[in-house]
Amino acid sequence: MGGGSSKRTQVRAPARRRSAVNAGSIDPEAAANFEKKVVPKSDETVEAIRKALEGNDLFTHLDKNELQDLLDCMFEVTAKKDEEIITQGADGDNFYVMNEGTAEVYVDNNKVHEYVNGGSFGELALIYGTPRAATVKATCDMTLYAMDRDTYRHILMGSVLKKRQLYDDVLKKVNVLSELDDYERSSLADALQQVTFKEGDVIIKQGDEGDDFFFVIDGQCVVTQTNESGETGEVATLGTGDFFGEIALLTNEPRKATVTAKGEATICAKLDRGRFERVLGPCEEILRRNMENYKQFTGKSE
């Protein structure tokens, strides 16, 4: 990963090609001898890549050295309107990050997704050594930033897979996320930020403004409400796979309950308002319907 005694070597930006890849994990000896690439680029391009990385959920967990490794190795790629950036069935050579513009995703000639002003794609073929699972087509002239397969596998692959697996096991148990396909669930996992609370920590407080939505990954939380007479009572206990905080984000009203960590360590994963609206859009209707469960149980939402 970043820093250490790994070697760096200057290289030219690779051409847009479709080379064959081999499946399998990284060989330990190859990892030890991996030379971090430095692709010459202008200061303006470096800053554009930095902006693209900092605005992408996939890279929020990287430390300073890891981020610098990516700035060094990534290179600029241009695509014309209607050009296929990656093509379904082709071998995978590069991983791509968008900063602006729009691109459409097609599987078997059916449109399944659209990237608007940001996003990243192309990692699956690099991780698993399989052909491209989809076609991504530019809908306007655009500039992207790419890294080659070897660099992706050595710098990013392990941490991305570990994070996705950690959250995916929990997210599959959440009924309201049943509308999400594998891609959308992976996007959700990439967007989550882990937070740990100790016994008695107040995670959200009744009456406060709400900006975050939480999943319980491990441990328990207690939900309490205070009525108009000032009486406070426990209304629910939350455990792994449960979630809270969505009502304030859906209604733009203050929190209707207090959620407190119970036990030595409660691990949650959170989404801020922007990420909540972006990655959980397909589930909004189900989340709103779920609000009725709170009303039936407590007489009030959240």
Side-chain angles (χ1 to χ4, degrees):
M1 303 291 275
S5 59
S6 298
K7 304 171 186 175
R8 292 175 182 264
T9 180
Q10 283 209 347
V11 299
R12 292 181 179 275
R16 293 272 296 282
R17 58 187 176 80
R18 304 294 174 192
S19 57
V21 298
N22 296 315
S25 58
I26 299 173
D27 177 69
E29 184 177 350
N33 295 321
F34 173 68
E35 294 187 356
K36 297 176 183 176
K37 301 177 177 66
V38 179
V39 179
K41 56 184 77 74
S42 68
D43 291 343
E44 182 180 4
T45 299
V46 170
E47 285 309 305
I49 295 174
R50 186 190 303 277
K51 181 181 177 183
L53 296 181
E54 290 177 347
N56 190 296
D57 297 326
L58 196 62
F59 309 108
T60 55
H61 66 289
L62 298 181
D63 63 31
K64 234 168 99 177
N65 290 329
E66 291 167 333
L67 183 61
Q68 185 60 52
D69 288 342
L70 296 189
L71 290 173
D72 287 343
C73 76
M74 295 187 77
F75 52 93
E76 191 173 276
V77 175
T78 58
K80 298 293 186 183
K81 181 180 178 181
D82 295 327
E83 181 180 351
E84 292 184 358
I85 304 166
I86 65 175
T87 302
Q88 184 175 357
D91 291 322
D93 47 11
N94 296 326
F95 168 70
Y96 297 92
V97 178
M98 290 174 53
N99 186 31
E100 56 186 18
T102 58
E104 295 176 336
V105 183
Y106 293 87
V107 175
D108 298 330
N109 295 318
N110 297 311
K111 182 180 173 181
V112 297
H113 186 67
E114 183 176 27
Y115 293 104
V116 179
N117 294 327
S120 56
F121 53 88
E123 75 274 17
L124 295 181
L126 307 190
I127 292 172
Y128 300 112
T130 54
R132 296 293 195 189
T135 293
V136 178
K137 182 185 294 187
T139 59
C140 61
D141 292 352
M142 62 190 304
T143 299
L144 306 94
Y145 305 101
M147 70 180 77
D148 64 37
R149 176 177 179 268
D150 287 342
T151 301
Y152 178 86
R153 287 171 66 86
H154 282 86
I155 296 179
L156 276 183
M157 187 176 79
S159 60
V160 169
L161 286 179
K162 184 177 179 180
K163 183 180 181 184
R164 284 184 177 176
Q165 187 61 49
L166 170 67
Y167 293 137
D168 199 51
D169 291 343
V170 175
L171 297 177
K172 283 180 178 177
K173 300 174 184 176
V174 181
N175 290 334
V176 296
L177 301 182
S178 60
E179 294 293 311
L180 298 181
D181 58 28
D182 289 344
Y183 170 80
E184 290 167 330
R185 195 165 54 248
S186 291
S187 296
L188 172 58
D190 292 341
L192 291 171
Q193 296 176 287
Q194 183 170 303
V195 284
T196 302
F197 302 97
K198 62 181 184 297
E199 171 81 33
D201 282 350
V202 174
I203 303 172
I204 64 173
K205 184 178 180 181
Q206 185 173 346
D208 285 355
E209 297 298 317
D211 291 314
D212 294 311
F213 168 67
F214 297 85
F215 290 101
V216 182
I217 303 301
D218 189 38
Q220 290 188 323
C221 301
V222 175
V223 184
T224 57
Q225 281 189 321
T226 301
N227 62 24
E228 294 177 356
S229 302
E231 300 170 327
T232 299
E234 182 177 324
V235 297
T237 299
L238 306 177
T240 300
D242 290 327
F243 57 88
F244 58 92
E246 78 281 9
I247 294 175
L249 274 64
L250 291 168
T251 65
N252 292 313
E253 295 179 357
R255 302 288 195 191
K256 298 299 193 299
T258 295
V259 178
T260 306
K262 179 182 179 181
E264 186 175 338
T266 298
I267 301 173
C268 294
K270 72 174 184 176
L271 290 173
D272 61 27
R273 181 181 293 273
R275 290 182 173 92
F276 174 82
E277 293 173 349
R278 176 165 54 79
V279 302
L280 286 182
C283 298
E284 181 174 342
E285 183 179 346
I286 298 175
L287 289 168
R288 288 188 180 277
R289 288 204 304 267
N290 195 64
M291 289 166 52
E292 297 301 315
N293 295 334
Y294 292 96
K295 293 178 181 178
Q296 292 167 13
F297 186 65
T298 67
K300 295 182 179 180
S301 295
E302 202 171 37

